Amino acid sequence: MPGNKLATYRAKRDFRQTAEPRGTLAAAKSKRLRFVIQKHAARRLHYDLRLELDGVFRSWAVTRGPSLDPADKRLAVEVEDHPLEYGDFEGTIAQGQYGGGTVQLWDRGYWRPLPGTSPQAALKAGQLKFELEGQRLHGGWVLVRMRNDRGSGKRRNWLLFKQRDDAADPARPEGLLAEDRSVASGRSMAQIAAGRGKGPKPFMRASQTSAKPDAKPLLVAASGPRSRCRRANSKPRLAPA
């Protein structure tokens, strides 16, 4: 069940300090598998690729972001499964919390494995070929687990690269990465960090009501006998690179 798959996700987070979803709400039903890519300014800027599968998001942190050049293979570190609710999260995770930094919904849409392919079996074998139909990324992609990590049970490193098709663009391999606008709210990273502009429009939730633009960790614990959670007045800052 998704709840069991999210044990590691929940253990790493203090939901009194972060506005990230707990993973307790059901996502809107979809006949197609969904994906999101979140631009994440944590200790180092990276892009989180999340593929819906078996009720959760299988997730990889792509260290330099996706490249449109098929010859350019990008390191993708597999991380814990995330709840489907996370596909609508855009905001700032407080410094000192796991993954502290600003998060932008950089791309989202639908994905599918190659016809006749079981994605579960492909991931277990260490090679998944799939197609994206997003607002920015399209066409075929490949995730390959690095040889030395197969069966190690420790940190799982993969490589993400573009397949050779009409959506490939070797002349502008990183052209899309320069686009600093959320596909869900139209905001830049700076606007999200400041809590300005419109909140993101939902993609995973059944509700079509946009989230608040300041969907970031605003709760801090006060000390003393009257201790309770209150809103923080300090401005959010990006986590150091």
Side-chain angles (χ1 to χ4, degrees):
M1 296 178 62
N4 296 331
K5 295 178 182 179
L6 297 176
T8 301
Y9 168 86
R10 290 174 178 142
K12 289 184 174 184
R13 290 162 175 83
D14 181 352
F15 293 105
R16 297 169 299 177
Q17 304 292 333
T18 177
E20 294 168 283
R22 295 175 179 267
T24 55
L25 299 179
K29 293 182 179 180
S30 174
K31 294 182 179 180
R32 306 167 68 185
L33 294 170
R34 294 159 287 193
F35 84 93
V36 298
I37 296 179
Q38 287 160 312
K39 185 176 181 180
H40 189 178
R43 286 186 298 173
R44 290 185 177 86
L45 179 66
H46 63 274
Y47 291 73
D48 292 311
L49 168 65
R50 310 196 192 282
L51 302 177
E52 179 182 3
L53 190 64
D54 296 330
V56 295
F57 274 128
R58 297 290 298 269
S59 299
W60 293 261
V62 184
T63 55
R64 294 170 54 205
S67 171
L68 298 181
D69 183 356
D72 192 358
K73 296 176 174 59
R74 297 294 171 90
L75 176 65
V77 180
E78 187 175 3
V79 298
E80 73 277 6
D81 294 342
H82 281 52
L84 295 182
E85 290 175 71
Y86 213 95
D88 287 332
F89 176 72
E90 182 172 271
T92 300
I93 304 168
Q95 290 187 29
Q97 296 300 304
Y98 178 75
T102 298
V103 176
Q104 178 192 80
L105 287 163
W106 187 82
D107 197 13
R108 62 187 183 182
Y110 301 94
W111 78 279
R112 61 183 180 187
L114 290 185
T117 301
S118 162
Q120 294 88 348
L123 287 170
K124 185 176 181 179
Q127 179 171 292
L128 174 66
K129 295 182 179 180
F130 58 100
E131 293 182 353
L132 296 179
E133 185 182 326
Q135 294 180 241
R136 286 191 167 120
L137 297 185
H138 307 277
W141 294 80
V142 183
L143 274 167
V144 178
R145 190 185 300 128
M146 296 178 68
R147 186 180 302 276
N148 292 339
D149 283 348
R150 299 195 179 199
S152 68
K154 297 181 180 179
R155 174 172 169 169
R156 292 170 290 183
N157 293 332
W158 297 65
L159 295 175
L160 173 70
F161 57 94
K162 184 76 184 73
Q163 288 191 310
R164 299 184 184 278
D165 55 24
D166 291 342
D169 191 354
R172 295 180 65 249
E174 299 187 16
L176 288 176
L177 298 184
E179 298 184 15
D180 182 26
R181 292 291 170 184
S182 165
V183 296
S185 67
R187 297 183 295 169
S188 66
M189 291 288 279
Q191 288 175 314
I192 295 168
R196 298 197 306 267
K198 296 181 179 179
K201 293 182 180 180
F203 177 57
M204 302 301 300
R205 301 195 316 272
S207 170
Q208 292 302 303
T209 303
S210 296
K212 294 180 180 180
D214 60 343
K216 54 183 180 290
L218 294 174
L219 296 178
V220 296
S223 59
R226 297 182 181 178
S227 175
R228 63 182 178 88
C229 288
R230 56 183 171 80
R231 285 188 176 268
N233 295 320
S234 59
K235 295 182 179 180
R237 296 179 295 171
L238 296 184

